[in-house]
Amino acid sequence: MKLGQHKQKSFRVKLIFIFLFVAMVPLIAVAWSNFYLVTQNREQNVLELQRLALANAEDKVSRLFNEKIDNLQLVVSAPIDTLYQLRASDIKFLLESSFSPGYYKRLDMIDKTGNLLATIGKDSDFSINKIYLDNFSSTSPYVSELESMIDEKKAVYFSGIEGDLKNLPDFQTAILGDNYFGPKEEVDGESVMRIASQIMNSENEVIGVISAEINTLDIQKQIELIQVGNEGGIIILDSEGLIIYQSKKSPFLYKSEMTVFPLINKLIEKKQIGVSSYEEYIYNEKQRVLSGRYYEKLNWYFLSDWPVKDAFSVVGNLFSQTSKIFFGIIVLVVVIALIFSSQVTKPVKKLTEGVKRIKEGKLDQDISIKTDDEFEVLGEQFNEMTKVLKENKELRDEFVFVAAHELRTPVTAIKGYLSMVLEGGFGEINDKTKDALMICNKSNERLVQLVQDLLEIARSEAGRMKIELKKNNINELIDTTIGELKSLSDEKGIKVSYKNEGDRPVLADQAKLQEVLVNIVGNAIKYTKGDGDIEIWHEEKEEFLVTHIKDHGIGMTKEEVDQLFSKFYRAQNEDTANIQGTGLGLFICKEIINKMKGEVWVESEKGKGSVFSFKLKKE
Ligand code: ADP
């Protein structure tokens, strides 16, 4: 039984291991290569993260500027080819509709040739170049309209120089159709920047330029909030390498010259668009990494600056997240393996239990396996086999019963006649004949005992053993047993001691209990070599009375004890070689005691003796 259990367990464990192995090998390989790559390429990863951070920052900044420039683009929905075809009030209207004080400090409208045509400022004061008047005759209604605007203080004149803006970069860029983003400058203590776009006609032709001076404070505020990792930030340099914007996390001062870093120097020299390397430096005793790229659209350089510890910890986080996922998967695989293996081994377990029941002689229970596969077929076959075994057993029991029953009459007759002959009932017999008949008688007695035992077992197994439970004084039965076996014990010089201390009532069948006592005490005498006392005593255990029979005989090994109560079991060793027996006595005792709701057991030591004990309900 133990062996069976052990095998069953190991099969399940094996299955779990196979499952784990199959599932884990690729997982471990992937995870290991991942870990390896993450560790090996930690620096590469830092660079990658910086690249990402810079791309994000650029995206954000370009969105900020695009918002501003989008507002600027003007389309005049008429097929005119010069701005001078517009009325002054229309020019004013166009500028006013584009001008938003939150966005711009000033808006300038420049004609195709580079003349500043009109401008609108912070307080929405509109001024127009006298050149405008030069394009119309003094009788033109446009001129009188403008004059009345001036009278009503809706506009002021200024006299600009012909083509004075045509060499400025904002005009030059925008007139060619590109948006212009100028450098950041300090004007009257404020940071300003010039941006410019086109004015188009309905044919999508450029008919002028609109240029704005923007206040960079809100851009600066937004850039200050940009973060890289937890502790890093971005820095924006102008074309000269001076800091113009930066995150609050940056350790540098505005306008610092970043060209002191060889990496930045190289970056400016080569106008590198991609991030290809980083430079480590120490600031405030902390190691930091700096990398950067050129941002063509604004002619700026975007740098990312990061404390090494933070940079590596972000990479480390990636690592720990991968580990978490990995261990999560391991747990999942183990759970699935456990469930799966228990499912697979369930039918095996059922079959093992079935085999165990058969070994115990229980042939009535079927096993039920519903797996819709070979195991189910095996289960059905198993049940078929149990059925056949049961039929065979019934046949065998029946045969034993019939044979024993048929043998009983002749052996009893032989017994009767032999004792009559031996007692001289058929006349005097000489000693020689007597000796021979004595041997016959002894053999016949064994035959009688065997037939009796077989009948008893057959009855018990067929459920025909009659047990009548009632109050019986076991002390009296013990005394009777000792008396019955006296000639045997005396013959071997064995003293059977039992202190009868009065009535010890138990729930039992008198004849059967007597049979048990004769068997156990008889064995104690039989399996004692030479002399050696036998003691019998009782012990009370809750509602039971336990009777112990102790001998100082040959004793038994543990293996022998384990099989003692099996049918036909006889210990085979030199001590028992010359002792006659059937191997059925203790089996019958166990059947009887169990049927009397009791229990029988034994403790024994080879060469020292045994203690047989049985308990019965007290009455
Ligand atoms: P048997 O007819 O062989 O005595 P039992 O069923 O009574 O059959 O006993 C089974 C076996 O148990 C014996 O053959 C013997 O080996 C062992 N046995 C029984 N009682 C004792 C005992 N008191 N001391 C040692 N061995 C014993």
Side-chain angles (χ1 to χ4, degrees), residues 519 523-524 526-527 551 554-556 564 569-571 576 580-587 610 612:
N519 223 314
N523 276 349
K526 199 158 85 169
Y527 294 104
D551 65 50
I554 59 172
M556 284 168 283
L564 198 63
Y569 177 76
R570 304 205 69 225
T576 58
Q580 305 284 358
T582 60
L584 292 172
L586 286 178
F587 175 76
S610 319
F612 279 78

Side-chain angles (χ1 to χ4, degrees), residues 110-116 161-176 209:
I110 307 163
D111 75 7
K112 267 202 286 199
T113 56
N115 295 323
L116 177 61
I161 309 155
E162 278 265 337
D164 56 352
L165 301 181
K166 71 169 180 286
N167 291 324
L168 295 183
D170 55 339
F171 175 77
Q172 286 190 342
T173 312
I175 200 73
L176 294 175
V209 164

Side-chain angles (χ1 to χ4, degrees), residues 565-590:
F565 294 98
S566 321
K567 214 188 283 180
F568 293 114
Y569 177 76
R570 304 205 69 225
Q572 302 294 344
N573 53 52
E574 53 185 32
D575 287 333
T576 58
N578 294 318
I579 303 173
Q580 305 284 358
T582 60
L584 292 172
L586 286 178
F587 175 76
I588 294 172
C589 286
K590 192 177 173 207

